[in-house]
Amino acid sequence: MAPDLILTGAKIWTGLGCPIGDGHPTSIAVTGGRITGIGPESRTTATASDTTTVIDVGGRRVVPGLVDSHLHAVRAGWSYLDELDWTEVRSIGEALDTVRRAASEREPGTWITVLGGWHPAQLAERRMPTKEELDAAAPRHPVFVHPLYGHDDHGVLNAEALNTLGWTGRCADPGGGVLHRSDDGTPDGRLAGLGAYQHINRVALTPGPERSEASTRAFFSRLAALGLTGVIDAGGLGMGPDRYHPIRAVWRAGDLPIRVRLNLGALTPGSEAEEIAAWQSFLDPAVGDDLLSVLGLGEVMHFGCHDWEGMDPFEITDEAYEEFAAMARQAARRGWPMTVHAILDSSIGRILDAIERVDAETPVRDLRWSLCHAECIGPKDLARVRDLGLALALQGRLVHKARVAAERWGEEAVRNGPPLGDIADLGIPFGAGTDGTRSASYNPWRTLRWFVTGRPQDGGPARAERHRLGREAALDAYTRGSAWLSFEEDRRGVLAPGACADLAVLSADYFTVAADDLPAITSDLTVVDGRVVHAAGDLRDVPVQRHDPRPGPRRRTDQ
């Protein structure tokens, strides 16, 4: 059978530990969504027919498509078009321009928000915008700007937002938050506290079904433009069944450009066991198709075992521990994969205690269980992770949090967090990711820069040289390493005959560009399952292809 697609003129990195006999392949052939040939152009083009699409990529670097091991993509997609994206903003002026544009496009009284994924350290001025600057940019719109997630940094409200919320004069602090005040006792616009952050999130973001579907299309298209061909979705706060309606609608319509594996978690403190059991009662692992499917449980399994951003003292009580152990036992018996949020060494140790109890009854080695984040994990617990057959999902979260983390944990913990060198030496599987879009930027190339250089942007301590990765090892963690977590390392994350045709043609050569320029990399051509799902630059005229949704009833039942 003739190939459907052939790329020529390429510099192909096939994947770590996946050498091709020809040494430096320049062409790749795709048939039926799988790679069927890779090597010199004379070999691949000889199999072409009149129906084969041949694309010369002009000497660009081609790599396996990136897979984010821990991204809150479904949650982000729900409201993406109603938020401003400051991931790549570089100055206060540029930031305020985005606010002005939004104000010119939206009805007065409509919220304008920036809710995480960036940090003032990335701006030339290295500061937050002020209330007065936001007032000038959008005097008739409530505006709230926050850099990360509400735990450590303050956000800024403009005057209209304070009026809309009723937080004026000498009002009391809102529940779960603290209003900074001027000398006369009135709020100056600065707001701290997770509870207040979440309240504004609920008030400001209320997209209807059509808007949330459009937002989901836009966000996943943005991920494809960065060279991502897959994500393991981390679920997260507020992610009940209704929040999955938009991505299911986009998937059914044939508009989901990349592969999504879903982890499903608890929603309500005190009801975790019932909620996790409810997911398991009507779903099974692998429900879905090769594009959108259920993977497992997590990251929120039990709020009493969930140490949030790890910046405040936290203790897992005996009651929470026993409840988590019972839930983990049930997951193991039913064969569910599971990922568990754990940052502090004390939390990690307690979670592993519970998993060891479960493993003694029902071995978990083949379930691809993992800990996510794990910045503070030490040598003793790394050995336990290895012995249990667990994996780690690791992110570049400390790019913007190294300074505050050093204040809380000590500089030595940050210099070794996460201990990538030790993890690699022990042979522990790990997948790379971002933890976007609230707690960190969703740009995978920012995480890759941090894995390679260890340098944060917020003035905190750099990671020790031992715990930095070479570029090949870092990219392997972001491709095959993440695919391991969803049982797909043999067919995703490598470019070899028989593997899925998921790849990215990069705008710059990842292996030669200056380290500080890594975050600027995008994809000029992204291919998923052999289909071109994104095209840009001088390849922008290549037709983008939708997937054929699986057969089945077309009646809408979820809106």
Side-chain angles (χ1 to χ4, degrees):
M1 181 182 295
D4 304 311
L5 173 69
I6 295 176
L7 302 184
T8 64
K11 293 187 293 185
I12 301 173
W13 185 71
T14 56
L16 194 61
C18 181
I20 298 298
D22 298 287
H24 301 284
T26 60
S27 184
I28 190 165
V30 175
T31 309
R34 295 296 180 113
I35 296 170
T36 50
I38 187 167
E41 293 170 17
S42 57
R43 179 186 302 171
T44 58
T45 56
T47 63
S49 72
D50 292 342
T51 62
T52 302
T53 299
V54 180
I55 303 172
D56 185 343
V57 300
R60 290 174 175 84
R61 174 66 67 182
V62 176
V63 300
L66 275 60
V67 181
D68 193 308
S69 68
H70 189 93
L71 175 62
H72 298 273
V74 177
R75 185 176 68 187
W78 182 75
S79 57
Y80 181 66
L81 291 178
D82 292 338
E83 303 177 48
L84 301 187
D85 185 347
W86 282 9
T87 300
E88 306 304 330
V89 166
R90 290 293 172 267
S91 69
I92 291 289
E94 186 180 344
L96 294 173
D97 282 344
T98 69
V99 176
R100 292 188 189 95
R101 284 196 297 271
S104 70
E105 297 166 356
R106 303 183 187 184
E107 290 293 323
T110 304
W111 277 90
I112 297 172
T113 60
V114 185
L115 295 171
W118 70 286
H119 195 274
Q122 75 191 49
L123 306 182
E125 299 84 354
R126 299 183 70 84
R127 66 170 176 84
M128 292 286 290
T130 65
K131 178 174 78 70
E132 290 72 24
E133 288 171 331
L134 296 177
D135 288 342
R140 298 196 295 164
H141 294 75
V143 181
F144 181 53
V145 172
H146 201 289
L148 294 173
Y149 196 39
H151 289 267
D152 309 304
D153 296 274
H154 72 267
V156 179
L157 296 151
N158 74 344
E160 186 62 21
L162 290 169
N163 289 332
T164 299
L165 294 165
W167 296 347
T168 58
R170 296 179 178 272
C171 66
D173 285 342
V178 176
L179 289 165
H180 293 255
R181 300 175 187 275
S182 304
D183 292 340
D184 63 2
T186 60
D188 66 7
R190 292 177 296 160
L191 173 70
L194 178 60
Y197 173 98
Q198 292 175 323
H199 173 71
I200 295 173
N201 190 317
R202 290 189 293 269
V203 169
L205 301 177
T206 57
E210 291 185 4
R211 184 67 169 176
S212 60
E213 289 176 24
S215 285
T216 297
R217 286 183 176 88
F219 183 66
F220 280 89
S221 293
R222 172 68 178 143
L223 297 181
L226 289 169
L228 283 156
T229 58
V231 301
I232 297 177
D233 186 80
L237 301 179
M239 291 301 295
D242 61 311
R243 287 295 184 92
Y244 294 92
H245 293 168
I247 193 167
R248 289 167 55 205
V250 171
W251 164 66
R252 279 197 305 271
D255 294 335
L256 186 61
I258 67 176
R259 303 183 196 271
V260 181
R261 306 291 178 254
L262 301 172
N263 281 323
L264 309 168
L267 300 169
T268 311
S271 300
E272 296 94 341
E274 293 82 0
E275 289 168 347
I276 292 294
W279 287 118
Q280 293 173 294
S281 70
F282 65 91
L283 291 172
D284 291 301
V287 164
D289 67 1
D290 212 32
L291 201 64
L292 175 66
S293 62
V294 173
L295 173 58
L297 302 172
E299 71 177 295
V300 182
M301 291 295 295
H302 195 290
F303 286 95
C305 302
H306 188 90
D307 57 12
W308 300 95
E309 295 296 286
M311 299 302 174
D312 297 312
F314 185 84
E315 180 182 358
I316 297 175
T317 67
D318 290 344
E319 180 182 7
Y321 169 83
E322 292 296 343
E323 290 177 357
F324 168 76
M327 294 162 65
R329 184 178 297 110
Q330 186 80 326
R333 289 174 177 171
R334 294 184 174 183
W336 277 76
M338 181 177 72
T339 187
V340 185
H341 171 116
I343 296 172
L344 300 172
D345 55 353
S346 56
S347 302
I348 292 168
R350 199 83 157 118
I351 294 296
L352 291 176
D353 289 344
I355 294 176
E356 285 175 343
R357 283 177 54 186
V358 172
D359 183 67
E361 303 169 8
T362 305
V364 303
R365 176 172 296 274
D366 295 333
L367 297 180
R368 304 287 169 104
W369 283 16
S370 64
L371 302 180
C372 51
H373 312 319
E375 284 91 351
C376 296
I377 195 167
K380 179 181 177 181
D381 284 336
L382 280 175
R384 298 169 76 192
V385 166
R386 177 200 59 198
D387 294 344
L388 286 163
L390 307 184
L392 299 171
L394 306 175
Q395 302 85 40
R397 296 169 353 105
L398 293 186
V399 168
H400 293 319
K401 298 178 182 177
R403 178 188 53 78
V404 68
E407 293 171 0
R408 305 297 208 281
W409 309 338
E411 287 199 7
E412 190 65 18
V414 174
R415 292 189 188 282
N416 294 309
L420 298 175
D422 296 343
I423 292 165
D425 287 350
L426 288 169
I428 296 171
F430 68 98
T434 58
D435 198 24
T437 59
R438 299 282 187 249
S439 189
S441 166
Y442 59 83
N443 184 343
W445 305 102
R446 290 192 178 281
T447 293
L448 285 164
R449 174 191 175 278
W450 186 73
F451 275 21
V452 169
T453 69
R455 295 197 305 270
Q457 285 193 309
D458 69 346
R463 200 155 15 84
E465 181 69 30
R466 166 167 171 69
H467 299 306
R468 303 173 195 174
L469 298 178
R471 295 198 189 193
E472 285 199 343
L475 191 54
D476 182 65
Y478 228 117
T479 51
R480 188 175 55 171
S482 295
W484 190 92
L485 294 168
S486 59
F487 302 87
E488 297 175 285
E489 71 277 12
D490 291 335
R491 66 191 191 99
R492 295 174 63 195
V494 295
L495 299 179
C500 293
D502 294 2
L503 58 88
V505 180
L506 303 182
S507 62
D509 191 339
Y510 166 78
F511 294 105
T512 61
V513 70
D516 286 342
D517 293 333
L518 288 173
I521 291 177
T522 58
S523 176
D524 283 345
L525 197 75
T526 306
V527 175
V528 175
D529 198 33
R531 295 175 290 105
V532 175
V533 298
H534 167 78
D538 59 11
L539 299 176
R540 61 185 176 275
D541 293 331
V542 174
V544 172
Q545 300 165 279
R546 301 163 68 249
H547 79 275
D548 291 327
R550 66 180 190 171
R554 303 299 297 164
R555 182 172 62 86
R556 297 291 297 275
T557 62
D558 62 352
Q559 297 288 348

